[in-house]
Amino acid sequence: MAMEVTQVLLNAQSVDSTVRKHAEETLKQFQEQNLPGFLLSLSGELASEEKPVDSRKLAGLILKNALDAKEQHRKYELMQRWLSLDVAVKTQIKACLLQTLSSPVPDARSTASQVIAKVAGIELPHKQWPELISALLTSIHQVPAHLKQATLETLGYLCEEVSPDVVDQDQVNKILTAVVQGMNATEGNEIRLVATRALYNALGFAQANFNNDMERDFIMRVVCEATLSPEVKIRQAAFECLVSISSTYYEKLAPYIQDIFNITAKAVREDEEPVALQAIEFWSSICDEEIDILEEYGGDFTGDSDVPCFYFIKQALPALVPMLLETLLKQEEDQDQDEGAWNLAMAGGTCLGLVARTVGDEIVPLVMPFIEENITKPDWRQREGATYAFGSILEGPSPDKLTPIVNVALNFMLAALTKDPNSHVKDTTAWTLGRIFEFLHGSMVETPIITPANCQQIITVLLQSMKDAPNVAEKACGALYFLAQGYEDVGSSSPLTPFFQEIVQSLLTVTHREDAGESRLRTAAYETLNEVVRCSTDETAPMVLQLVPVIMMELHQTLEAQKLSSDEREKQGELQALLCGCLQVIIQKLGASDPTKYVFMQYADQIMNLFLRVFACRSATVHEEAMLAIGALAYAAGPDFAKYMSEFYKYLEMGLQNFEEYQVCSVTVGVVGDICRALEDKILPFCDGIMTLLLKDLSSNQLHRSVKPPIFSCFGDIALAIGEQFEKYIIYAMPMLHSAAELSAHTSGVDDEMIEYTNLLRNGILEAYSGILQGFKNSPKAHRLIPYAPHILEFLDSIYMEKDMDDVVTKTAIGVLGDLADTLGSEAGSLIQQSASSKDFLNECLSSEDHLIKESAEWAKLAITRAISV
């Protein structure tokens, strides 16, 4: 069955593209025509010592990709495909893989390790290949060191692929023993390194071992010893283990925390950067844990809280804060220009910010002396470090503690932003001003830091800074963004009104800068413009209207550009997306009140025309933004939007069929809802097509799961829009809703992410039921829904019993109970009386602290009372 593939694999890596393409085609055909033979040939190639290393490596890589993929549905297909292969073929492949672990060629061993783990990830959950782990544990004790190394590497990958419940505790103990022994200082560096990396992956399996004091002490000792290894990569891997332990086993750390502090402090001060970064990450991780615990339990610990807070950060403060402040002075010369930059100073500042969120006011007196001492020093590093320290502690401490300091600092910062000779200092100063406006300015804060006395100066300085270097200008845009946001709820008159024209003009000027492509500057300018428009008041509406033709003209110009390179086309797509986003915000703003809406609608035809032309460009982000803007236009235009439907409908269809770029599909589904609300029964001629596509989306296993809840909600929107005309879709929609409801009713024992998704799904299903029931209210055809009422009640019962509904679902669910009674009257009344938990559910909602839930429940109670008394 196997065939000679060496030459083809080498050709597939050729520099000559014709040779390469031909080889790739050959491999593809072989795989399609004879999969078992193909996989056997690859595993034979990987295992054979006579073959060149390049063909062996590629064989292993193709083998790995035949077992796993990024997309969930593809991954599932590949798993099923492997499981259905002939047992003899699989046995032979697995034998080749295990044999390769003893190869003297490092690349071949390493590739085989990864493939073995992928096979284990598929087979172990199905109780297949039970002998694998013991086989690996036996070969750890074999003589050649490279076999031991490859085996440890395999165990590490295996723990990454397989979930802990698949491996029994006895084997877990043996894996951990082998790995921890491999970390011993008597071993060679290569073995110590793979063992330490393997432990990192195995930590999730060590629950029982961490509960045992002796075993935990042993593991902790070995990890701490490895942080002192002479080899930098081992020290880094050991600190990575400590970071993982800090989040996985937080509640077990108390006995070790003092030693860990000493080790991390030494590493931060003296070790190489990759090691020092991980040492800081340990403390950031502890902050994350304590912030979560304190948020969840609000600081008062009753006996039933899962994990108590040990206040490690609070205890470490006097030593931890000085250590972090030292790092702030270790900046790199060009860190502001490089978007992906990450270094000691940035890690230290990030950790300091987390510490401030963990302990609040207590951090301020520990940081202020550092700021006061360094903020006026001649060396830019000291001025920048002091500014960064100040910006980092603005979230966490109370406004009462910070406002007096900010009031003193504000003038100094504004002066620094205009006059400091150093670009780094200006960059950080603008960022800090943004943080001041984000956390200490707005309707929630009692003492305003922005007053009629300083408002003009602040705006003048920020607009001036938008002409500075791109990284400084980008931060200045960010500061203006939060400045505008703080005036969101001011009512009819905003302090920004006198400067509105000047602000908008400055932002538009920034978008046209030659260098606006650097440091995300153009994007930041449009985001800020959107926020300034969104938070503006009626006073400035005429100026927002003047903006419409300006932005339309810009969008028109991007559509006219001819003969672009692919790089230019990508940049242009980004610009079109930004302009569509800007128009969306303007449409929402002007559509919100009648006088401005009336004036704005004169542009509607031209705007719609531009949006339709945008769809001709192939870019998912642009489609998404244009769809959202059209949704806003439909909402503003109301029934008048009908005139665009015949032209727009084909793009709606395209969006609903876009499985690849599922965000586009999801947004399109939302826009269908907007159009339903705008057109009401005028959408009827398009409903057959739309419903067909939505039902097709739901039954596809290729569409990302996040799109399914909005599709169900959309059923409800359509039913509300067309009322009893929805009748012909009932036989398709109701069974879909029923089966999804059964799936989403029970969630026991799954992770938080899944519970969150389940609640989204439930809410979508309930919104569909609600829309359908309301659509049939007072219709002679309402009786068509009676057969489905028991299913709906069963669903409400079962999610009530699960006790894991969030507030949104609770509100929608109690609403559906009311809709049942309201639309179906006495028919529903008797069913509700018989149902298992409707009464308890209603009473619980009536006494809810959430006033929206309470309101819904009071309405439902009225409807039910009416239905029962009929």
Side-chain angles (χ1 to χ4, degrees):
M1 282 172 80
M3 73 173 222
E4 184 60 34
V5 284
T6 313
Q7 198 49 54
V8 188
L9 288 166
L10 292 172
N11 290 351
Q13 304 173 65
S14 162
V15 280
D16 181 340
S17 66
T18 17
V19 176
R20 195 172 63 242
K21 286 209 174 83
H22 180 70
E24 286 167 358
E25 202 44 52
T26 312
L27 289 168
K28 195 174 153 204
Q29 279 174 350
F30 184 16
Q31 178 167 6
E32 284 164 5
Q33 288 157 7
N34 176 2
L35 182 70
F38 179 66
L39 299 175
L40 280 169
S41 309
L42 292 172
S43 61
E45 184 80 18
L46 177 60
S48 164
E49 296 304 330
E50 279 80 67
K51 302 294 184 186
V53 73
D54 285 344
S55 69
R56 293 176 72 181
K57 226 167 100 177
L58 184 59
L61 188 64
I62 298 174
L63 204 50
K64 185 175 131 198
N65 291 338
L67 297 166
D68 192 24
K70 278 199 176 68
E71 303 87 34
Q72 272 319 110
H73 69 94
R74 179 78 186 128
K75 187 185 180 107
Y76 181 74
E77 281 168 18
L78 293 174
M79 276 171 55
Q80 294 307 325
R81 188 175 82 170
W82 172 263
L83 289 168
S84 59
L85 282 175
D86 179 62
V87 176
V89 172
K90 286 189 284 198
T91 310
Q92 202 177 331
I93 293 173
K94 292 189 287 197
C96 286
L97 290 170
L98 287 171
Q99 178 195 327
T100 313
L101 291 182
S102 50
S103 163
V105 180
D107 276 338
R109 293 197 301 270
S110 184
T111 312
S113 292
Q114 294 173 44
V115 183
I116 291 171
K118 292 290 179 197
V119 175
I122 299 174
E123 294 204 352
L124 293 183
H126 290 89
K127 304 274 183 279
Q128 300 175 9
W129 211 3
E131 69 282 7
L132 167 67
I133 292 177
S134 35
L136 289 170
L137 291 167
T138 319
S139 59
I140 275 195
H141 305 297
Q142 303 299 324
V143 174
H146 66 251
L147 173 58
K148 186 172 191 171
Q149 182 196 348
T151 309
L152 283 166
E153 192 175 352
T154 310
L155 286 169
Y157 287 132
L158 183 126
C159 291
E160 196 176 9
E161 289 295 328
V162 181
S163 81
D165 50 4
V166 187
V167 184
D168 63 37
Q169 189 56 45
D170 177 46
Q171 289 198 312
V172 170
N173 295 343
K174 288 178 178 160
I175 293 175
L176 284 168
T177 306
V179 168
V180 172
Q181 279 174 352
M183 288 172 69
N184 208 316
T186 54
E187 294 285 358
N189 278 344
E190 289 190 342
I191 287 184
R192 266 190 101 179
L193 179 59
V194 288
T196 310
R197 287 179 176 164
L199 179 66
Y200 177 82
N201 288 328
L203 283 167
F205 290 68
Q207 215 77 40
N209 313 82
F210 264 78
N211 285 333
N212 173 318
D213 294 356
M214 232 172 75
E215 295 184 24
R216 183 180 64 244
D217 285 347
F218 185 59
I219 295 173
M220 292 301 291
R221 199 184 79 228
V222 171
V223 174
C224 289
E225 279 170 7
T227 64
L228 307 171
S229 155
E231 175 57 46
V232 62
K233 283 184 170 164
I234 296 175
R235 297 199 299 278
Q236 183 184 344
F239 274 112
E240 283 169 7
C241 287
L242 279 179
V243 173
S244 173
I245 290 168
S246 71
S247 60
T248 317
Y249 301 110
Y250 167 84
E251 70 282 8
K252 303 283 184 206
L253 282 175
Y256 316 103
I257 203 79
Q258 185 57 55
D259 289 342
I260 294 175
F261 181 81
N262 298 338
I263 297 170
T264 49
K266 191 171 171 6
V268 171
R269 292 196 166 108
E270 297 168 18
D271 212 330
E272 294 180 43
E273 188 175 83
V275 182
L277 286 174
Q278 287 304 320
I280 293 176
E281 188 58 38
F282 173 85
W283 292 101
S284 292
S285 171
I286 294 283
C287 287
D288 286 333
E289 290 304 307
E290 298 198 344
I291 290 168
D292 282 351
I293 295 170
L294 294 169
E295 271 179 6
E296 201 163 327
Y297 302 116
D300 49 332
F301 291 103
T302 44
D304 64 345
S305 65
D306 308 352
V307 180
C309 183
F310 287 98
Y311 297 101
F312 291 138
I313 299 295
K314 203 175 185 157
Q315 290 159 22
L317 268 186
L320 180 61
V321 172
M323 168 182 95
L324 293 172
L325 292 171
E326 280 174 37
T327 65
L328 301 187
L329 303 173
K330 298 183 176 171
Q331 309 93 325
E332 287 174 3
E333 285 290 348
D334 54 355
Q335 62 183 42
D336 296 331
Q337 276 71 30
D338 171 14
E339 270 190 39
W342 186 247
N343 56 41
L344 210 55
M346 295 166 91
T350 304
C351 187
L352 191 64
L354 288 166
V355 172
R357 285 175 53 199
T358 312
V359 302
D361 290 358
E362 288 177 57
I363 195 168
V364 179
L366 292 171
V367 176
M368 285 316 294
F370 174 83
I371 298 173
E372 286 157 0
E373 186 192 336
N374 289 293
I375 197 85
T376 53
K377 284 280 167 59
D379 179 0
W380 73 266
R381 289 179 183 278
Q382 287 170 291
R383 297 197 305 280
E384 195 276 339
T387 313
Y388 190 21
F390 187 42
S392 298
I393 61 167
L394 291 167
E395 184 187 9
S398 63
D400 295 349
K401 187 84 176 167
L402 292 171
T403 308
I405 305 171
V406 168
N407 281 329
V408 175
L410 197 58
N411 277 336
F412 184 89
M413 315 267 313
L414 292 168
L417 188 51
T418 40
K419 299 199 178 71
D420 199 290
N422 183 278
S423 173
H424 288 284
V425 178
K426 286 194 212 174
D427 180 303
T428 306
T429 304
W431 172 78
T432 301
L433 284 168
R435 304 255 303 171
I436 290 173
F437 302 152
E438 182 178 1
F439 299 113
L440 297 169
H441 152 65
S443 55
M444 311 300 284
V445 186
E446 283 169 29
T447 335
I449 46 168
I450 300 171
T451 59
N454 65 14
C455 188
Q456 174 153 18
Q457 185 202 359
I458 290 172
I459 289 169
T460 309
V461 169
L462 290 179
L463 298 188
Q464 187 55 43
S465 291
M466 286 187 211
K467 299 175 184 157
D468 210 315
N471 55 308
V472 177
E474 188 261 337
K475 304 282 191 313
C477 287
L480 187 54
Y481 177 99
F482 288 115
L483 180 66
Q485 196 178 71
Y487 290 125
E488 189 177 353
D489 310 318
V490 288
S492 58
S493 176
S494 161
L496 294 186
T497 298
F499 313 104
F500 188 82
Q501 189 80 39
E502 195 187 346
I503 290 173
V504 169
Q505 200 41 62
S506 300
L507 286 164
L508 288 172
T509 309
V510 171
T511 64
H512 292 134
R513 277 177 56 158
E514 288 288 315
D515 53 6
E518 295 169 36
S519 296
R520 281 189 72 251
L521 178 54
R522 183 176 288 113
T523 307
Y526 276 113
E527 282 170 357
T528 303
L529 178 60
N530 294 352
E531 199 60 10
V532 168
V533 169
R534 194 180 69 78
C535 301
S536 64
T537 60
D538 294 345
E539 306 168 289
T540 43
M543 292 183 247
V544 177
L545 266 166
Q546 289 168 3
L547 199 52
V548 179
V550 177
I551 304 290
M552 280 169 61
M553 191 62 206
E554 304 241 334
L555 186 53
H556 173 77
Q557 281 165 349
T558 66
L559 291 162
E560 292 298 305
Q562 301 291 323
K563 296 201 174 58
L564 298 174
S565 69
S566 65
D567 194 31
E568 288 169 329
R569 197 172 303 120
E570 190 183 338
K571 286 204 173 75
Q572 191 177 336
E574 284 166 22
L575 179 56
Q576 286 171 349
L578 291 167
L579 292 165
C580 288
C582 184
L583 283 168
Q584 181 200 348
V585 174
I586 294 173
I587 294 167
Q588 282 168 334
K589 191 75 201 173
L590 296 172
S593 74
D594 284 339
T596 50
K597 178 155 77 175
Y598 177 74
V599 188
F600 163 74
M601 287 317 288
Q602 64 183 3
Y603 296 112
D605 291 0
Q606 290 163 279
I607 286 190
M608 189 63 189
N609 196 13
L610 286 170
F611 290 153
L612 294 176
R613 286 181 62 191
V614 165
F615 281 116
C617 314
R618 283 297 309 133
S619 152
T621 351
V622 183
H623 285 201
E624 208 176 319
E625 293 296 337
M627 265 302 167
L628 287 165
I630 288 174
L633 187 62
Y635 186 76
D640 293 345
F641 189 82
K643 63 178 173 184
Y644 306 124
M645 278 303 289
S646 55
E647 182 122 14
F648 172 52
Y649 180 69
K650 62 170 182 255
Y651 299 108
L652 208 57
E653 278 192 323
M654 270 167 47
L656 292 176
Q657 289 167 316
N658 195 343
F659 290 174
E660 290 299 302
E661 293 143 349
Y662 65 89
Q663 288 93 340
V664 177
C665 187
S666 186
V667 164
T668 310
V669 172
V671 170
V672 171
D674 293 333
I675 294 172
C676 286
R677 286 183 281 282
L679 296 187
E680 294 182 333
D681 58 358
K682 285 191 181 173
I683 194 163
L684 196 57
F686 305 96
C687 284
D688 282 1
I690 291 172
M691 280 300 290
T692 307
L693 289 170
L694 292 177
L695 289 162
K696 206 163 164 185
D697 283 355
L698 282 175
S699 45
S700 155
N701 64 352
Q702 285 177 357
L703 184 59
H704 195 274
R705 67 178 194 184
S706 66
V707 189
K708 306 217 164 165
I711 291 179
F712 287 126
S713 308
C714 194
F715 284 175
D717 295 326
I718 294 172
L720 272 174
I722 63 174
E724 61 178 31
Q725 316 254 20
F726 193 80
E727 181 190 21
K728 62 172 166 181
Y729 308 125
I730 286 179
I731 53 168
Y732 307 106
M734 287 306 208
M736 283 271 191
L737 284 163
H738 181 54
S739 60
E742 285 190 323
L743 273 179
S744 78
H746 305 297
T747 55
S748 50
V750 291
D751 56 8
D752 293 351
E753 200 179 297
M754 192 62 197
I755 288 176
E756 192 180 325
Y757 173 71
T758 303
N759 274 319
L760 285 171
L761 189 59
R762 289 167 175 174
N763 200 53
I765 295 164
L766 291 164
E767 284 183 341
Y769 282 145
S770 176
I772 293 169
L773 286 163
Q774 288 176 39
F776 279 85
K777 194 187 167 180
N778 301 332
S779 152
K781 295 181 177 172
H783 65 93
R784 288 286 315 271
L785 297 176
I786 293 170
Y788 303 102
H791 288 322
I792 298 177
L793 278 165
E794 254 168 57
F795 180 48
L796 291 172
D797 276 340
S798 59
I799 58 178
Y800 172 71
M801 298 298 188
E802 284 284 315
K803 297 278 182 252
D804 57 4
M805 277 189 278
D806 58 24
D807 288 351
V808 182
V809 177
T810 305
K811 181 186 163 300
T812 322
I814 200 67
V816 169
L817 193 61
D819 290 326
L820 268 171
D822 195 34
T823 299
L824 301 179
S826 57
E827 299 278 358
S830 54
L831 287 167
I832 291 172
Q833 279 177 300
Q834 294 155 26
S835 91
S837 57
S838 294
K839 193 172 175 189
D840 297 345
F841 183 31
L842 185 63
N843 288 334
E844 227 168 87
C845 292
L846 284 167
S847 56
S848 168
E849 287 173 8
D850 183 315
H851 73 98
L852 291 171
I853 292 177
K854 203 172 167 176
E855 259 175 43
S856 274
E858 280 162 359
W859 174 80
K861 186 182 174 183
L862 264 173
I864 294 168
T865 314
R866 277 202 304 269
I868 291 171
S869 63
V870 174

